[in-house]
Amino acid sequence: MQAQTKKELRAKRKAHRECMRMHNRMVREQQNMIAYQDAVKALKSNSWVLQANTLFNNFGAAIPVTNNLNFVAMDNNQVSLQLAFNGFNPGPNGLGGITLTGWPSSINERVDKNGNITYTFNVMGAALFAQVTVRLGYGSNYSTVTVSSNTNGRELTFSGNLVPYSQSNIFQSGFSF
């Protein structure tokens, strides 16, 4: 048996690492595609949750948040929007923010030539009158939801993973407007 030179060993290790990277990339792409297909099914069945990791205000400032307390959800023909910030003020919902509920209308779905989905609807409730736009990019369940108030022109954008309602791990406050 011949002794391999250092150069040959390095080349073998490099080829092995490259093979592993390709394999991991393919597995990750496959998992993302499955998550995307689940998100598309959830949107079509009107039973979904966007669990937000980041909120963006009117001025584009990013606010990191916890995804089980900050979400936009649609289930059983009802839309829930919840904000909860860590701090000393418990807020109206007891979680440091507010929970709003309403009923959707004028639901519209568009798919562009690249497979990106734009899902829009209006929502009306006791303290909520807004237009909601969900954008889901092809190949992943990472999504953004922009809530545009119809009364004062303010916008809030939630950004995170869109999952079926049954697979979510949200904690919804019992007190909502």
Side-chain angles (χ1 to χ4, degrees):
M1 190 175 220
Q2 279 184 304
Q4 295 180 338
T5 65
K6 286 184 180 182
K7 201 175 205 180
E8 290 171 338
L9 285 173
R10 258 188 253 127
K12 273 187 173 179
R13 283 193 301 256
K14 184 177 180 180
H16 183 262
R17 279 193 311 268
E18 188 60 35
C19 183
M20 289 303 294
R21 282 188 196 116
M22 288 288 282
H23 176 266
N24 291 341
R25 186 179 315 131
M26 288 172 49
V27 167
R28 190 171 44 248
E29 287 174 357
Q30 189 175 21
Q31 289 171 340
N32 286 343
M33 188 54 75
I34 290 169
Y36 170 77
Q37 291 168 347
D38 287 346
V40 170
K41 286 179 194 170
L43 278 174
K44 289 183 188 284
S45 68
N46 291 335
S47 182
W48 54 268
V49 176
L50 180 119
Q51 296 181 197
N53 299 322
T54 309
L55 297 176
F56 296 93
N57 65 12
N58 268 359
F59 308 108
I63 305 162
V65 293
T66 54
N67 66 359
N68 65 337
L69 296 176
N70 294 275
F71 60 85
V72 177
M74 180 186 280
D75 192 39
N76 294 329
N77 202 30
Q78 185 174 4
V79 176
S80 300
L81 180 148
Q82 180 170 289
L83 298 170
F85 299 102
N86 295 330
F88 297 108
N89 185 1
N93 65 0
L95 301 172
I98 190 165
T99 304
L100 304 171
T101 56
W103 294 268
S105 65
S106 305
I107 298 173
N108 185 18
E109 181 180 334
R110 270 191 341 260
V111 180
D112 70 7
K113 64 181 179 180
N114 298 323
N116 302 318
I117 297 174
T118 303
Y119 185 82
T120 58
F121 59 91
N122 295 319
V123 61
M124 283 185 57
L128 180 62
F129 182 51
Q131 181 176 13
V132 178
T133 303
V134 180
R135 289 183 183 85
L136 177 64
Y138 181 77
S140 173
N141 69 337
Y142 188 80
S143 179
T144 61
V145 173
T146 302
V147 180
S148 304
S149 172
N150 289 342
T151 55
N152 62 11
R154 300 243 171 146
E155 262 187 14
L156 184 62
T157 301
F158 293 76
S159 136
N161 293 323
L162 195 139
V163 296
Y165 194 88
S166 60
Q167 295 177 12
S168 67
N169 65 343
I170 59 173
F171 177 77
Q172 187 165 351
S173 169
F175 185 73
S176 64
F177 294 97

